Amino acid sequence: MTADTRWNARRSRAILSAFQTDIEEPTPVLTPALYFPEKGKPIGGPVIHTPERIAAASKFYVGNTPHIVQQTRFNRSWRVATSRIALPPSVAAEDSFGSLPGSQDADDEVFRDALLDVLDPARRLPLAAHTDDILAWHIHQVRLHFVSHVLPLLAVCDGYSDQTQVLLGSIRTIEAAQRQYLFGLSLILRAMEEEDAEHALSKFRRDLHAIVGNSMSSALTDALRSVLGHLMKTVLGVDTEGHLDPDKVDSSRKELHQIVESLARVGFAGERFQILFAEILDGMMIAYIQQTYAKVWQPNEDLKANARNPIRLKTQPKCIRELTDWIENQYARLAVEVTSRLTNSLEVSWVRLKDWKDIAMERLAALRIDELFDIVISWPDSEGGIDDLRYAVTTPQKRLQLTDAFSSTLQKRLLHAGRSTLDILRTYIAMIRTFHRLDHSRVLLDRVAYSLQLYLCTREDTVRIIVTGLLASEEEVTSEARKTKLVELVELLSQDDQYRSEGQDEEWDDLDWVPAPVDAGSNYQPRKSEDVIGTLIGALGSPEVFIKEFQSIIGERLLSEQDGFKQEVNVLELLKKRFGESSLQACDVMIKDIQDSTRLDGVIHRGAVNHPEKVDRDWTIHARILSRLYWPEVGEERFHLPASVTEMQKMYETIFEHLKPSRKIKWLNHLGQATVELELDDRTVLEQVHTYEAAVINAFSEENASSWTFDDLWMKLEMDEDLLTAALEFWEKKHVLRRLPTNTYVVIERLSDAEQPSSSMQAAQSSTAAAVDTATPSPRKAKSGMSEKEKEKRQVYWQFIVGMLTNSSPTMPLGQISMMMKMLIADGFPWSNEELQEFLGEKIADDELEIVGGKYKLIKK
């Protein structure tokens, strides 16, 4: 205590001894009291003299002198006792709440006698009619002092910029006030029995802590959250980036313990603090799980032996083990250390520890569910994440939460126009394998895959990508072909566990049988293998769709110029295990046709060699003879071939009909291949081209035919316009032909001619521009390679359009025609608006339709 503080204390006592400012004045010893306060009312205050009270006092004075004496003694004792324990009426800046009275005040005999009179008036002053409880009076003055002097100081502490200073300043202020409150109480308790004193002290502390606890401001709460959060992060290893300093952890732990003990002493560790601590502790668990286990999916080597059967998953995954260890040794330890230092000493039982572990498992499961899409696309490098889900997601409610969240993610991140069909199919394959590891019953996969299957059915190239992937070679798996082909199917084809026969999934002899999940549907069928290929094919609707597309693509490959068809034969044999030989009989016939054609072609060539009189030039034609009933519809495009080729075709037919009297040959020229060698002035061009491309360039080799207009060439070859355009564009890209502004094509004998067009050519462009623009388009024929079935379908669509424009409305916009076609055609109208617009454009070119004001109208003839 400083000299100034002691001087202030002596000055206060001197003033109080000379000038009694309290309203509770004691009654003089020899002066009779004219007024006694009513029971329960404070002693002192202004006297109101009513007739009733004057009469009662006069009567009491006349016949009850001992009562007056004892009442007067109680009043004087009350004044002596309360004046000693009264709190200072104001706050001094030097010592916050003034100095504590000296010890000699407590040992004063007068004070002790007065305190005994006030504490036990029933025994010492039995005739005193009006007494009061000094403990209640002390608590009342503590409340008034706290509101008047302590709360303003706490408000000053709330204004500090540093959160630590806010907390420490508030604690020091409450500690200073409590020293004053508890000192006055200690003087009272000295005169009480030990048991009564302990009870009174406990009650006083409880009431005082309630007052302090309810005075916590939002600023103090924020400071407490910040300081405790920072220390708890260090102790629990949150946001440490994997670097834990044991000395720093111990220091933070001790500091945290000191703060909690200080809070408990001053009364800030009440219900509000416990709720705040629980919120911070819960946030620490969330932050730790997010920081430590987000995107941590390394495979668990010790679980691979149990990966096939979920019931045998007794060993916890690595992340689960680490998390439960952290909960038990760090999280629960901190909770016990803090709660044990609180006033009410909360106990943490083993049941609560188990609850914390369950909550941690749910949090980790929620994290893995949010990451499930990334886990799927990262498979098989993300096996650890699936193991965590297998262990944590066990109830039907959690399984439903998983499927709902994943389905929503699929819609946002995959099933939209911005993702290619190849990406969607790759994700689907990863989904099949991932969910098979997660749930062997495939119940979860069936839930999430339905929307994806429906979306794949809207993509026209789905089946073709799957079939092309199956027919890819093993060399393409590690090449650039991965970017354009579904080469993952090649690896799956060679795995035996990807196939299942009709009776393979029977359960009567399965020693590892488990019952169906409780959330399985009524049509649930167990599966033992991943069956990725079967699931992909099943997503197409029916096997017939896949088989039909497989026949079409394998037909294209068989007609190509590749050396062998080993991959096609191997894939066909593997698919027979799945679909049966009868479903793929047509493919067997197609392969047999190619094999027989090679052998028969050799026989025919030997026959031609044996008849040199019939062949006056080199025999360079080879044919593949197809069985018409077993091959897909390939259409027919007729055009004139060079005379030499036509002669070789006739000779080939003659020999074939001699060998096969009951069969005839129908040439499909547009599917053929030819080797063309062009000798130009400055170079020689050697290309493997289609037959129609060879026919077009052959026309330029005739005498006086170094240039052709498009129409003249079309009339000479009688070739489909699309085929002719494609052939001319092909030779333009090869820098063999050049298109002039007059729509005339000439041969580029020298490459320098192609790079430096003549000025006369530019002049011709300007003079004939109008003629070219106004030229009448040549009649457009059916598209190249269109099958008879497609032509019939287009004719049916045209009849519908004619009927609508005749019977419903004479003019219709494109959107209305498309909508009515979708409503009227029973099998559905598969064309998009762009395809329909192209079809209607063909009809406009054929003078069947016209556009008037943006609407289509039939031309009256």
Side-chain angles (χ1 to χ4, degrees), residues 458-598:
T458 64
R459 295 290 185 101
E460 298 179 355
D461 56 344
T462 300
V463 183
R464 176 166 288 271
I465 291 177
I466 294 175
V467 176
T468 305
L470 288 173
L471 295 175
S473 62
E474 295 182 357
E475 291 76 12
E476 292 176 318
V477 174
T478 57
S479 66
E480 291 295 325
R482 293 186 65 90
K483 298 179 180 179
T484 57
K485 291 185 178 181
L486 198 65
V487 296
E488 290 82 355
L489 297 180
V490 179
E491 301 172 343
L492 295 174
L493 278 173
S494 58
Q495 299 178 9
D496 295 334
D497 58 352
Q498 293 294 328
Y499 299 92
R500 60 182 183 90
S501 59
E502 293 296 331
Q504 186 176 348
D505 288 329
E506 295 294 336
E507 300 178 344
W508 59 270
D509 60 345
D510 186 5
L511 299 180
D512 296 328
W513 176 86
V514 293
V518 294
D519 52 352
S522 57
N523 57 346
Y524 165 73
Q525 292 182 352
R527 306 249 186 110
K528 294 181 181 179
S529 62
E530 289 181 349
D531 195 22
V532 175
I533 298 176
T535 306
L536 277 179
I537 296 173
L540 305 177
S542 64
E544 288 74 15
V545 176
F546 172 81
I547 292 175
K548 182 178 179 180
E549 186 67 24
F550 181 75
Q551 291 177 351
S552 175
I553 294 178
I554 200 174
E556 296 175 2
R557 295 172 68 98
L558 292 175
L559 294 177
S560 65
E561 290 298 320
Q562 64 186 56
D563 297 334
F565 305 99
K566 180 180 179 181
Q567 179 67 14
E568 287 76 5
V569 174
N570 292 338
V571 172
L572 181 60
E573 294 299 324
L574 293 173
L575 291 179
K576 285 180 182 179
K577 299 178 181 179
R578 181 177 302 277
F579 301 109
E581 295 190 4
S582 59
S583 301
L584 296 168
Q585 181 181 4
C587 296
D588 281 334
V589 175
M590 294 165 64
I591 293 178
K592 187 174 184 302
D593 284 345
I594 300 300
Q595 295 172 346
D596 292 345
S597 296
T598 303

Side-chain angles (χ1 to χ4, degrees), residues 814-824 829 833 836:
L814 177 66
Q816 185 178 0
I817 295 175
S818 176
M819 180 186 67
M820 295 191 66
M821 293 286 283
K822 293 177 180 178
M823 294 172 56
L824 295 175
F829 184 64
N833 288 350
L836 178 60

